[in-house]
Amino acid sequence: FKSLVGKDVVVELKNDLSICGTLHSVDQYLNIKLTDISVTDPEKYPHMLSVKNCFIRGSVVRYVQLPADEVDTQLLQDAARKEAMQQKQ
Amino acid sequence: MVLLKNLQPPTEGVRHEQAETTAVMDGQRLGCGTLYVAETRLSWFDSSGLGFSLEYPSIGLHAISRDVSAYPQEHLYVMVNGKLNSEKAADDDDDDHDGSSDEIRFVPSDKAALESMFSAMCECQALHPDPEDDDSDNDFEGEEYDVEEAEHGHADIPTFYTCDEGLSALTQEGQATLERLEGMLAQSVAQQYHMAGVRTEETKAEFEDGMEVDTAAMEAGQFEDADVEHW
């Protein structure tokens, strides 16, 4: 995630809210700060219009949509596999 | 109707205090009061002492809203998970189908304070991480857990480490055993060259695995005569 700071991401929350914005920062709990946010899906977007900066608590995040070309999916898969192996133990 | 309770404003750990702040809960103006961003919780009280407080884990999102066309004044928007009152559950129409969220807006008379209000809330949110965690994101935490389990175990040294990281997580006992075994291996390797000669690489790999550690320790001495194929 830290390598994505400065990139545009879409955060989908567990209450169906989708927010597009620039990733400002992220911490170990996956709390996310977005700047210059905008609407992605108008239907799932309550009247929270034109917010500049927002802080999203990690526990309410359902998905974080990453731009495909920003992520080395092979590397991500390997890392996830390795971590899953470690966790099984 | 919003149920306002007569609570005490927090006195300790108040990161930010903002007077002359109007609170609007789900579109309902609660009046003008003081917002307290404390390390323990977020509170707002009006002049008569009525107010409410929010626990940070229940705050899903907070943001600064600056667009005047969307909402007439710049304010701090706070999205709360779940219902504030069970009474409201029956009446409310605006909610999403999943996860009920409530919205609260804090409109300070001093707009310049919004940044510090926002920052104070961010800091306090970081003080209240969620207790439930399905996965441990931190590799660090994962390794620590493993070491703890190893220490509590018997002579059963962690047998599952196959990668390099595992070696570093061995306990002192494990390290000592590893060194002892490697010494013994060096001895038996010399003999294996005479006997089979092929298996040395495999056996070394197995030692790293740790699977054979205990049994190997006992039987290594026996291998001077016996077949190599036990490995």
Side-chain angles (χ1 to χ4, degrees), chain A residues 13 15-16 19 28-29 33 46-57 59-60 83 86-87 89, chain B residues 57 59-65 67 70 77 79 81 96 98 101 103 105 122 125 128-130 136 165:
Chain A
L13 307 186
N15 64 355
D16 284 354
I19 305 174
Q28 52 175 325
Y29 307 113
K33 267 196 204 174
H47 22 275
M48 206 186 93
L49 308 169
S50 304
V51 171
K52 266 289 186 180
N53 300 339
C54 79
F55 173 98
I56 303 173
R57 194 179 168 82
S59 60
V60 299
E83 196 171 321
Q86 284 180 8
Q87 289 195 1
Q89 302 152 11
Chain B
I59 296 178
L61 181 154
H62 62 277
I64 298 176
S65 177
D67 191 355
Y77 172 89
M79 185 175 73
N81 307 323
D96 300 333
D98 301 336
S101 296
E103 301 173 337
R105 300 166 197 270
C122 290
Q125 280 271 33
H128 294 260
D130 299 312
S136 173
E165 290 175 10

mmCIF file of all heavy atoms in Angstrom, chain A residues 13 15-16 19 28-29 33 46-57 59-60 83 86-87 89, chain B residues 57 59-65 67 70 77 79 81 96 98 101 103 105 122 125 128-130 136 165:
data_model
loop_
_atom_site.group_PDB
_atom_site.id
_atom_site.type_symbol
_atom_site.label_atom_id
_atom_site.label_comp_id
_atom_site.label_asym_id
_atom_site.label_seq_id
_atom_site.Cartn_x
_atom_site.Cartn_y
_atom_site.Cartn_z
ATOM 1 N N LEU A 13 -16.589 0.856 0.856
ATOM 2 C CA LEU A 13 -16.803 0.590 2.268
ATOM 3 C C LEU A 13 -17.864 -0.485 2.450
ATOM 4 O O LEU A 13 -18.608 -0.819 1.537
ATOM 5 C CB LEU A 13 -17.235 1.865 2.990
ATOM 6 C CG LEU A 13 -16.352 3.084 2.807
ATOM 7 C CD1 LEU A 13 -16.827 4.202 3.688
ATOM 8 C CD2 LEU A 13 -14.911 2.743 3.111
ATOM 9 N N ASN A 15 -20.543 -0.281 3.909
ATOM 10 C CA ASN A 15 -21.915 0.184 3.789
ATOM 11 C C ASN A 15 -22.239 0.581 2.358
ATOM 12 O O ASN A 15 -23.135 1.384 2.121
ATOM 13 C CB ASN A 15 -22.170 1.350 4.747
ATOM 14 C CG ASN A 15 -21.320 2.551 4.389
ATOM 15 O OD1 ASN A 15 -20.493 2.491 3.493
ATOM 16 N ND2 ASN A 15 -21.549 3.645 5.077
ATOM 17 N N ASP A 16 -21.484 0.050 1.412
ATOM 18 C CA ASP A 16 -21.723 0.259 -0.017
ATOM 19 C C ASP A 16 -21.294 1.615 -0.525
ATOM 20 O O ASP A 16 -21.591 1.959 -1.665
ATOM 21 C CB ASP A 16 -23.203 0.048 -0.365
ATOM 22 C CG ASP A 16 -23.545 -1.428 -0.407
ATOM 23 O OD1 ASP A 16 -22.602 -2.242 -0.284
ATOM 24 O OD2 ASP A 16 -24.717 -1.762 -0.548
ATOM 25 N N ILE A 19 -15.720 5.562 -2.733
ATOM 26 C CA ILE A 19 -15.072 6.861 -2.797
ATOM 27 C C ILE A 19 -13.801 6.745 -3.630
ATOM 28 O O ILE A 19 -12.963 5.881 -3.394
ATOM 29 C CB ILE A 19 -14.682 7.354 -1.386
ATOM 30 C CG1 ILE A 19 -15.901 7.368 -0.477
ATOM 31 C CG2 ILE A 19 -14.053 8.728 -1.453
ATOM 32 C CD1 ILE A 19 -15.561 7.701 0.945
ATOM 33 N N GLN A 28 -0.785 1.116 9.738
ATOM 34 C CA GLN A 28 -0.731 -0.335 9.942
ATOM 35 C C GLN A 28 -2.102 -0.958 10.136
ATOM 36 O O GLN A 28 -2.270 -2.161 9.975
ATOM 37 C CB GLN A 28 0.136 -0.645 11.150
ATOM 38 C CG GLN A 28 -0.292 0.136 12.385
ATOM 39 C CD GLN A 28 0.502 -0.278 13.609
ATOM 40 O OE1 GLN A 28 0.839 -1.429 13.745
ATOM 41 N NE2 GLN A 28 0.791 0.674 14.484
ATOM 42 N N TYR A 29 -3.087 -0.152 10.493
ATOM 43 C CA TYR A 29 -4.424 -0.699 10.661
ATOM 44 C C TYR A 29 -5.236 -0.571 9.389
ATOM 45 O O TYR A 29 -6.426 -0.830 9.390
ATOM 46 C CB TYR A 29 -5.139 0.032 11.801
ATOM 47 C CG TYR A 29 -4.345 0.043 13.074
ATOM 48 C CD1 TYR A 29 -3.833 1.225 13.567
ATOM 49 C CD2 TYR A 29 -4.087 -1.134 13.760
ATOM 50 C CE1 TYR A 29 -3.092 1.236 14.727
ATOM 51 C CE2 TYR A 29 -3.347 -1.131 14.916
ATOM 52 C CZ TYR A 29 -2.850 0.050 15.392
ATOM 53 O OH TYR A 29 -2.119 0.069 16.534
ATOM 54 N N LYS A 33 -6.187 7.634 4.384
ATOM 55 C CA LYS A 33 -6.484 9.051 4.168
ATOM 56 C C LYS A 33 -6.479 9.304 2.678
ATOM 57 O O LYS A 33 -5.495 9.002 1.991
ATOM 58 C CB LYS A 33 -5.400 9.912 4.832
ATOM 59 C CG LYS A 33 -5.727 10.348 6.241
ATOM 60 C CD LYS A 33 -4.811 11.484 6.661
ATOM 61 C CE LYS A 33 -4.691 11.545 8.167
ATOM 62 N NZ LYS A 33 -3.719 12.538 8.610
ATOM 63 N N PRO A 46 -23.881 8.605 -0.488
ATOM 64 C CA PRO A 46 -24.800 9.517 0.199
ATOM 65 C C PRO A 46 -24.349 10.957 0.082
ATOM 66 O O PRO A 46 -23.351 11.246 -0.546
ATOM 67 C CB PRO A 46 -24.735 9.039 1.651
ATOM 68 C CG PRO A 46 -23.386 8.443 1.785
ATOM 69 C CD PRO A 46 -23.072 7.848 0.448
ATOM 70 N N HIS A 47 -25.048 11.826 0.689
ATOM 71 C CA HIS A 47 -24.824 13.258 0.515
ATOM 72 C C HIS A 47 -23.574 13.727 1.241
ATOM 73 O O HIS A 47 -23.634 14.500 2.170
ATOM 74 C CB HIS A 47 -26.034 14.028 1.011
ATOM 75 C CG HIS A 47 -26.841 13.215 1.970
ATOM 76 N ND1 HIS A 47 -27.793 12.319 1.549
ATOM 77 C CD2 HIS A 47 -26.810 13.118 3.305
ATOM 78 C CE1 HIS A 47 -28.335 11.737 2.605
ATOM 79 N NE2 HIS A 47 -27.770 12.195 3.673
ATOM 80 N N MET A 48 -22.472 13.245 0.780
ATOM 81 C CA MET A 48 -21.206 13.587 1.405
ATOM 82 C C MET A 48 -20.392 14.370 0.382
ATOM 83 O O MET A 48 -19.210 14.201 0.274
ATOM 84 C CB MET A 48 -20.495 12.285 1.739
ATOM 85 C CG MET A 48 -19.537 12.361 2.855
ATOM 86 S SD MET A 48 -18.678 10.816 2.994
ATOM 87 C CE MET A 48 -17.258 11.121 2.009
ATOM 88 N N LEU A 49 -21.056 15.187 -0.350
ATOM 89 C CA LEU A 49 -20.483 15.723 -1.571
ATOM 90 C C LEU A 49 -19.286 16.635 -1.377
ATOM 91 O O LEU A 49 -19.159 17.306 -0.361
ATOM 92 C CB LEU A 49 -21.581 16.521 -2.301
ATOM 93 C CG LEU A 49 -22.871 15.724 -2.497
ATOM 94 C CD1 LEU A 49 -23.979 16.625 -2.969
ATOM 95 C CD2 LEU A 49 -22.636 14.606 -3.477
ATOM 96 N N SER A 50 -18.428 16.607 -2.374
ATOM 97 C CA SER A 50 -17.320 17.549 -2.466
ATOM 98 C C SER A 50 -16.484 17.634 -1.209
ATOM 99 O O SER A 50 -16.151 18.720 -0.739
ATOM 100 C CB SER A 50 -17.832 18.948 -2.804
ATOM 101 O OG SER A 50 -18.561 18.885 -3.968
ATOM 102 N N VAL A 51 -16.201 16.494 -0.696
ATOM 103 C CA VAL A 51 -15.296 16.487 0.439
ATOM 104 C C VAL A 51 -13.870 16.511 -0.089
ATOM 105 O O VAL A 51 -13.547 15.840 -1.055
ATOM 106 C CB VAL A 51 -15.538 15.221 1.290
ATOM 107 C CG1 VAL A 51 -14.475 15.065 2.337
ATOM 108 C CG2 VAL A 51 -16.914 15.294 1.933
ATOM 109 N N LYS A 52 -13.022 17.280 0.558
ATOM 110 C CA LYS A 52 -11.645 17.377 0.091
ATOM 111 C C LYS A 52 -10.790 16.255 0.661
ATOM 112 O O LYS A 52 -10.203 15.460 -0.047
ATOM 113 C CB LYS A 52 -11.058 18.724 0.529
ATOM 114 C CG LYS A 52 -11.175 19.810 -0.494
ATOM 115 C CD LYS A 52 -10.239 19.567 -1.646
ATOM 116 C CE LYS A 52 -10.242 20.735 -2.620
ATOM 117 N NZ LYS A 52 -9.334 20.496 -3.747
ATOM 118 N N ASN A 53 -10.694 16.238 1.967
ATOM 119 C CA ASN A 53 -9.894 15.215 2.643
ATOM 120 C C ASN A 53 -10.791 14.326 3.451
ATOM 121 O O ASN A 53 -11.725 14.797 4.090
ATOM 122 C CB ASN A 53 -8.909 15.859 3.622
ATOM 123 C CG ASN A 53 -7.956 16.779 2.931
ATOM 124 O OD1 ASN A 53 -7.748 16.674 1.748
ATOM 125 N ND2 ASN A 53 -7.391 17.700 3.686
ATOM 126 N N CYS A 54 -10.492 13.042 3.436
ATOM 127 C CA CYS A 54 -11.243 12.183 4.324
ATOM 128 C C CYS A 54 -10.345 11.117 4.931
ATOM 129 O O CYS A 54 -9.324 10.728 4.365
ATOM 130 C CB CYS A 54 -12.438 11.556 3.613
ATOM 131 S SG CYS A 54 -12.036 10.164 2.576
ATOM 132 N N PHE A 55 -10.737 10.693 6.093
ATOM 133 C CA PHE A 55 -10.030 9.652 6.817
ATOM 134 C C PHE A 55 -10.986 8.482 6.927
ATOM 135 O O PHE A 55 -12.084 8.624 7.444
ATOM 136 C CB PHE A 55 -9.660 10.169 8.212
ATOM 137 C CG PHE A 55 -9.060 9.132 9.113
ATOM 138 C CD1 PHE A 55 -7.699 9.032 9.268
ATOM 139 C CD2 PHE A 55 -9.868 8.242 9.810
ATOM 140 C CE1 PHE A 55 -7.143 8.082 10.114
ATOM 141 C CE2 PHE A 55 -9.328 7.285 10.645
ATOM 142 C CZ PHE A 55 -7.953 7.217 10.797
ATOM 143 N N ILE A 56 -10.565 7.331 6.439
ATOM 144 C CA ILE A 56 -11.429 6.161 6.456
ATOM 145 C C ILE A 56 -10.854 5.130 7.417
ATOM 146 O O ILE A 56 -9.697 4.722 7.289
ATOM 147 C CB ILE A 56 -11.533 5.544 5.046
ATOM 148 C CG1 ILE A 56 -12.033 6.594 4.061
ATOM 149 C CG2 ILE A 56 -12.488 4.351 5.069
ATOM 150 C CD1 ILE A 56 -12.018 6.136 2.644
ATOM 151 N N ARG A 57 -11.661 4.704 8.343
ATOM 152 C CA ARG A 57 -11.203 3.725 9.316
ATOM 153 C C ARG A 57 -11.025 2.371 8.647
ATOM 154 O O ARG A 57 -11.860 1.954 7.841
ATOM 155 C CB ARG A 57 -12.254 3.618 10.419
ATOM 156 C CG ARG A 57 -11.765 2.909 11.633
ATOM 157 C CD ARG A 57 -12.827 2.846 12.695
ATOM 158 N NE ARG A 57 -12.409 1.931 13.722
ATOM 159 C CZ ARG A 57 -11.582 2.244 14.718
ATOM 160 N NH1 ARG A 57 -11.112 3.463 14.807
ATOM 161 N NH2 ARG A 57 -11.231 1.355 15.603
ATOM 162 N N SER A 59 -11.500 -0.560 9.568
ATOM 163 C CA SER A 59 -12.505 -1.607 9.782
ATOM 164 C C SER A 59 -13.721 -1.464 8.900
ATOM 165 O O SER A 59 -14.509 -2.396 8.769
ATOM 166 C CB SER A 59 -12.941 -1.609 11.247
ATOM 167 O OG SER A 59 -13.499 -0.351 11.581
ATOM 168 N N VAL A 60 -13.923 -0.293 8.287
ATOM 169 C CA VAL A 60 -15.115 -0.124 7.447
ATOM 170 C C VAL A 60 -14.808 -0.342 5.975
ATOM 171 O O VAL A 60 -15.697 -0.224 5.139
ATOM 172 C CB VAL A 60 -15.755 1.266 7.610
ATOM 173 C CG1 VAL A 60 -16.200 1.476 9.032
ATOM 174 C CG2 VAL A 60 -14.831 2.363 7.166
ATOM 175 N N GLU A 83 2.883 -15.554 2.818
ATOM 176 C CA GLU A 83 2.302 -15.169 4.102
ATOM 177 C C GLU A 83 1.253 -16.178 4.547
ATOM 178 O O GLU A 83 1.136 -16.500 5.722
ATOM 179 C CB GLU A 83 1.664 -13.781 3.976
ATOM 180 C CG GLU A 83 1.384 -13.158 5.301
ATOM 181 C CD GLU A 83 0.967 -11.728 5.136
ATOM 182 O OE1 GLU A 83 1.546 -11.046 4.279
ATOM 183 O OE2 GLU A 83 0.064 -11.312 5.860
ATOM 184 N N GLN A 86 3.007 -19.087 6.066
ATOM 185 C CA GLN A 86 3.503 -18.803 7.408
ATOM 186 C C GLN A 86 2.376 -18.825 8.416
ATOM 187 O O GLN A 86 2.554 -19.249 9.545
ATOM 188 C CB GLN A 86 4.174 -17.440 7.429
ATOM 189 C CG GLN A 86 5.535 -17.460 6.790
ATOM 190 C CD GLN A 86 6.164 -16.078 6.836
ATOM 191 O OE1 GLN A 86 5.630 -15.182 7.466
ATOM 192 N NE2 GLN A 86 7.278 -15.914 6.175
ATOM 193 N N GLN A 87 1.227 -18.362 7.985
ATOM 194 C CA GLN A 87 0.125 -18.257 8.933
ATOM 195 C C GLN A 87 -0.484 -19.604 9.250
ATOM 196 O O GLN A 87 -1.059 -19.801 10.301
ATOM 197 C CB GLN A 87 -0.945 -17.318 8.378
ATOM 198 C CG GLN A 87 -0.455 -15.891 8.405
ATOM 199 C CD GLN A 87 -1.580 -14.930 8.218
ATOM 200 O OE1 GLN A 87 -2.717 -15.326 8.082
ATOM 201 N NE2 GLN A 87 -1.261 -13.661 8.213
ATOM 202 N N GLN A 89 1.117 -22.083 9.912
ATOM 203 C CA GLN A 89 1.911 -22.692 10.972
ATOM 204 C C GLN A 89 1.575 -21.989 12.271
ATOM 205 O O GLN A 89 2.054 -22.251 13.271
ATOM 206 C CB GLN A 89 3.393 -22.546 10.619
ATOM 207 C CG GLN A 89 3.681 -23.188 9.277
ATOM 208 C CD GLN A 89 4.859 -22.523 8.610
ATOM 209 O OE1 GLN A 89 5.556 -21.745 9.248
ATOM 210 N NE2 GLN A 89 5.087 -22.819 7.353
ATOM 211 N N PRO B 57 -14.127 3.695 17.595
ATOM 212 C CA PRO B 57 -14.338 2.524 16.737
ATOM 213 C C PRO B 57 -15.646 2.580 15.961
ATOM 214 O O PRO B 57 -15.780 1.912 14.942
ATOM 215 C CB PRO B 57 -14.349 1.359 17.737
ATOM 216 C CG PRO B 57 -13.524 1.831 18.867
ATOM 217 C CD PRO B 57 -13.785 3.300 18.966
ATOM 218 N N ILE B 59 -16.791 5.267 14.569
ATOM 219 C CA ILE B 59 -16.687 6.284 13.522
ATOM 220 C C ILE B 59 -16.009 5.666 12.319
ATOM 221 O O ILE B 59 -14.826 5.343 12.342
ATOM 222 C CB ILE B 59 -15.903 7.512 14.014
ATOM 223 C CG1 ILE B 59 -16.662 8.174 15.159
ATOM 224 C CG2 ILE B 59 -15.713 8.498 12.873
ATOM 225 C CD1 ILE B 59 -15.935 9.363 15.738
ATOM 226 N N GLY B 60 -16.802 5.500 11.253
ATOM 227 C CA GLY B 60 -16.234 4.838 10.083
ATOM 228 C C GLY B 60 -15.396 5.776 9.240
ATOM 229 O O GLY B 60 -14.397 5.393 8.663
ATOM 230 N N LEU B 61 -15.812 7.006 9.194
ATOM 231 C CA LEU B 61 -15.156 7.925 8.275
ATOM 232 C C LEU B 61 -15.379 9.341 8.763
ATOM 233 O O LEU B 61 -16.456 9.668 9.250
ATOM 234 C CB LEU B 61 -15.772 7.733 6.881
ATOM 235 C CG LEU B 61 -15.281 8.546 5.690
ATOM 236 C CD1 LEU B 61 -15.555 7.748 4.444
ATOM 237 C CD2 LEU B 61 -16.004 9.859 5.589
ATOM 238 N N HIS B 62 -14.380 10.170 8.620
ATOM 239 C CA HIS B 62 -14.617 11.582 8.880
ATOM 240 C C HIS B 62 -13.888 12.390 7.814
ATOM 241 O O HIS B 62 -12.877 11.945 7.269
ATOM 242 C CB HIS B 62 -14.201 11.980 10.304
ATOM 243 C CG HIS B 62 -12.749 11.792 10.595
ATOM 244 N ND1 HIS B 62 -12.206 10.603 10.958
ATOM 245 C CD2 HIS B 62 -11.732 12.668 10.579
ATOM 246 C CE1 HIS B 62 -10.915 10.753 11.178
ATOM 247 N NE2 HIS B 62 -10.593 11.998 10.949
ATOM 248 N N ALA B 63 -14.422 13.538 7.509
ATOM 249 C CA ALA B 63 -13.885 14.307 6.389
ATOM 250 C C ALA B 63 -14.234 15.775 6.531
ATOM 251 O O ALA B 63 -15.153 16.147 7.260
ATOM 252 C CB ALA B 63 -14.453 13.774 5.073
ATOM 253 N N ILE B 64 -13.483 16.584 5.818
ATOM 254 C CA ILE B 64 -13.779 18.016 5.764
ATOM 255 C C ILE B 64 -14.543 18.274 4.484
ATOM 256 O O ILE B 64 -14.062 17.931 3.393
ATOM 257 C CB ILE B 64 -12.486 18.846 5.765
ATOM 258 C CG1 ILE B 64 -11.714 18.614 7.054
ATOM 259 C CG2 ILE B 64 -12.810 20.323 5.593
ATOM 260 C CD1 ILE B 64 -10.376 19.331 7.063
ATOM 261 N N SER B 65 -15.685 18.841 4.605
ATOM 262 C CA SER B 65 -16.476 19.162 3.433
ATOM 263 C C SER B 65 -16.421 20.662 3.189
ATOM 264 O O SER B 65 -16.814 21.466 4.041
ATOM 265 C CB SER B 65 -17.932 18.738 3.649
ATOM 266 O OG SER B 65 -18.711 19.106 2.539
ATOM 267 N N ASP B 67 -17.330 22.134 0.010
ATOM 268 C CA ASP B 67 -18.094 22.628 -1.125
ATOM 269 C C ASP B 67 -19.374 23.286 -0.653
ATOM 270 O O ASP B 67 -20.259 22.629 -0.107
ATOM 271 C CB ASP B 67 -18.414 21.467 -2.066
ATOM 272 C CG ASP B 67 -18.981 21.962 -3.382
ATOM 273 O OD1 ASP B 67 -19.218 23.179 -3.519
ATOM 274 O OD2 ASP B 67 -19.179 21.125 -4.266
ATOM 275 N N ALA B 70 -22.777 22.059 -2.069
ATOM 276 C CA ALA B 70 -23.322 20.786 -1.603
ATOM 277 C C ALA B 70 -24.004 20.957 -0.249
ATOM 278 O O ALA B 70 -25.057 20.407 0.008
ATOM 279 C CB ALA B 70 -22.211 19.760 -1.495
ATOM 280 N N TYR B 77 -17.539 16.360 8.456
ATOM 281 C CA TYR B 77 -18.518 15.302 8.254
ATOM 282 C C TYR B 77 -18.027 14.046 8.948
ATOM 283 O O TYR B 77 -16.873 13.661 8.815
ATOM 284 C CB TYR B 77 -18.677 15.063 6.747
ATOM 285 C CG TYR B 77 -19.520 13.873 6.402
ATOM 286 C CD1 TYR B 77 -20.896 13.993 6.245
ATOM 287 C CD2 TYR B 77 -18.938 12.634 6.212
ATOM 288 C CE1 TYR B 77 -21.672 12.899 5.912
ATOM 289 C CE2 TYR B 77 -19.699 11.533 5.890
ATOM 290 C CZ TYR B 77 -21.061 11.680 5.739
ATOM 291 O OH TYR B 77 -21.818 10.581 5.417
ATOM 292 N N MET B 79 -19.091 9.986 9.654
ATOM 293 C CA MET B 79 -20.006 8.883 9.392
ATOM 294 C C MET B 79 -19.861 7.855 10.502
ATOM 295 O O MET B 79 -18.766 7.392 10.793
ATOM 296 C CB MET B 79 -19.696 8.237 8.044
ATOM 297 C CG MET B 79 -20.696 7.157 7.683
ATOM 298 S SD MET B 79 -20.430 6.495 6.058
ATOM 299 C CE MET B 79 -18.958 5.543 6.338
ATOM 300 N N ASN B 81 -20.950 4.236 12.248
ATOM 301 C CA ASN B 81 -21.500 2.917 11.971
ATOM 302 C C ASN B 81 -22.605 2.606 12.949
ATOM 303 O O ASN B 81 -22.517 2.908 14.125
ATOM 304 C CB ASN B 81 -20.430 1.839 12.128
ATOM 305 C CG ASN B 81 -19.217 2.172 11.304
ATOM 306 O OD1 ASN B 81 -19.340 2.691 10.211
ATOM 307 N ND2 ASN B 81 -18.055 1.914 11.852
ATOM 308 N N ASP B 96 -28.925 3.095 4.127
ATOM 309 C CA ASP B 96 -28.557 2.074 3.157
ATOM 310 C C ASP B 96 -29.157 0.754 3.576
ATOM 311 O O ASP B 96 -29.552 0.575 4.709
ATOM 312 C CB ASP B 96 -27.031 1.910 3.110
ATOM 313 C CG ASP B 96 -26.381 3.204 2.704
ATOM 314 O OD1 ASP B 96 -27.025 3.990 1.999
ATOM 315 O OD2 ASP B 96 -25.250 3.426 3.115
ATOM 316 N N ASP B 98 -27.549 -2.240 3.512
ATOM 317 C CA ASP B 98 -26.579 -2.889 4.409
ATOM 318 C C ASP B 98 -26.162 -1.891 5.457
ATOM 319 O O ASP B 98 -26.528 -0.749 5.414
ATOM 320 C CB ASP B 98 -25.324 -3.295 3.628
ATOM 321 C CG ASP B 98 -25.680 -4.239 2.529
ATOM 322 O OD1 ASP B 98 -26.711 -4.896 2.661
ATOM 323 O OD2 ASP B 98 -24.929 -4.279 1.562
ATOM 324 N N SER B 101 -25.643 3.462 8.587
ATOM 325 C CA SER B 101 -24.683 4.507 8.915
ATOM 326 C C SER B 101 -25.429 5.777 9.242
ATOM 327 O O SER B 101 -26.412 6.112 8.612
ATOM 328 C CB SER B 101 -23.768 4.777 7.724
ATOM 329 O OG SER B 101 -22.999 3.653 7.439
ATOM 330 N N GLU B 103 -24.994 9.957 9.828
ATOM 331 C CA GLU B 103 -24.107 11.048 9.451
ATOM 332 C C GLU B 103 -24.265 12.188 10.436
ATOM 333 O O GLU B 103 -25.369 12.556 10.796
ATOM 334 C CB GLU B 103 -24.460 11.556 8.055
ATOM 335 C CG GLU B 103 -24.353 10.485 6.991
ATOM 336 C CD GLU B 103 -24.882 10.991 5.671
ATOM 337 O OE1 GLU B 103 -25.685 11.936 5.683
ATOM 338 O OE2 GLU B 103 -24.481 10.438 4.656
ATOM 339 N N ARG B 105 -22.739 16.125 11.145
ATOM 340 C CA ARG B 105 -21.921 17.234 10.639
ATOM 341 C C ARG B 105 -21.677 18.208 11.780
ATOM 342 O O ARG B 105 -22.583 18.561 12.525
ATOM 343 C CB ARG B 105 -22.644 17.953 9.503
ATOM 344 C CG ARG B 105 -22.938 17.042 8.330
ATOM 345 C CD ARG B 105 -23.949 17.686 7.383
ATOM 346 N NE ARG B 105 -24.519 16.683 6.500
ATOM 347 C CZ ARG B 105 -24.016 16.355 5.325
ATOM 348 N NH1 ARG B 105 -22.932 16.959 4.888
ATOM 349 N NH2 ARG B 105 -24.586 15.426 4.579
ATOM 350 N N CYS B 122 -8.116 12.261 13.434
ATOM 351 C CA CYS B 122 -7.262 11.228 12.844
ATOM 352 C C CYS B 122 -6.346 10.627 13.894
ATOM 353 O O CYS B 122 -6.181 9.402 13.974
ATOM 354 C CB CYS B 122 -6.410 11.821 11.722
ATOM 355 S SG CYS B 122 -7.354 12.262 10.272
ATOM 356 N N GLN B 125 -8.297 8.433 16.249
ATOM 357 C CA GLN B 125 -8.700 7.184 15.605
ATOM 358 C C GLN B 125 -7.570 6.176 15.663
ATOM 359 O O GLN B 125 -7.787 4.979 15.872
ATOM 360 C CB GLN B 125 -9.060 7.441 14.131
ATOM 361 C CG GLN B 125 -10.438 8.002 13.920
ATOM 362 C CD GLN B 125 -11.473 6.906 13.768
ATOM 363 O OE1 GLN B 125 -11.365 5.841 14.373
ATOM 364 N NE2 GLN B 125 -12.487 7.161 12.979
ATOM 365 N N HIS B 128 -7.335 4.020 18.660
ATOM 366 C CA HIS B 128 -8.365 3.027 18.925
ATOM 367 C C HIS B 128 -8.438 2.036 17.790
ATOM 368 O O HIS B 128 -9.391 2.033 17.015
ATOM 369 C CB HIS B 128 -9.726 3.705 19.094
ATOM 370 C CG HIS B 128 -9.792 4.575 20.305
ATOM 371 N ND1 HIS B 128 -10.378 4.153 21.482
ATOM 372 C CD2 HIS B 128 -9.339 5.815 20.523
ATOM 373 C CE1 HIS B 128 -10.277 5.136 22.365
ATOM 374 N NE2 HIS B 128 -9.664 6.152 21.827
ATOM 375 N N PRO B 129 -7.459 1.197 17.667
ATOM 376 C CA PRO B 129 -7.509 0.205 16.597
ATOM 377 C C PRO B 129 -8.584 -0.819 16.886
ATOM 378 O O PRO B 129 -9.030 -0.973 18.022
ATOM 379 C CB PRO B 129 -6.118 -0.435 16.651
ATOM 380 C CG PRO B 129 -5.652 -0.213 18.030
ATOM 381 C CD PRO B 129 -6.273 1.064 18.501
ATOM 382 N N ASP B 130 -8.979 -1.512 15.856
ATOM 383 C CA ASP B 130 -10.021 -2.498 16.025
ATOM 384 C C ASP B 130 -9.478 -3.734 16.701
ATOM 385 O O ASP B 130 -8.421 -4.214 16.347
ATOM 386 C CB ASP B 130 -10.602 -2.866 14.653
ATOM 387 C CG ASP B 130 -11.207 -1.654 14.008
ATOM 388 O OD1 ASP B 130 -11.960 -0.947 14.683
ATOM 389 O OD2 ASP B 130 -10.904 -1.423 12.834
ATOM 390 N N SER B 136 -3.259 -11.296 10.420
ATOM 391 C CA SER B 136 -2.281 -10.372 10.944
ATOM 392 C C SER B 136 -1.515 -9.792 9.783
ATOM 393 O O SER B 136 -0.778 -10.479 9.118
ATOM 394 C CB SER B 136 -1.358 -11.136 11.879
ATOM 395 O OG SER B 136 -0.318 -10.297 12.276
ATOM 396 N N GLU B 165 13.605 -17.340 6.658
ATOM 397 C CA GLU B 165 13.110 -16.585 7.800
ATOM 398 C C GLU B 165 12.946 -17.491 9.007
ATOM 399 O O GLU B 165 13.104 -17.110 10.140
ATOM 400 C CB GLU B 165 11.763 -15.957 7.472
ATOM 401 C CG GLU B 165 11.895 -14.857 6.465
ATOM 402 C CD GLU B 165 10.531 -14.343 6.064
ATOM 403 O OE1 GLU B 165 9.552 -14.722 6.709
ATOM 404 O OE2 GLU B 165 10.465 -13.580 5.116
#
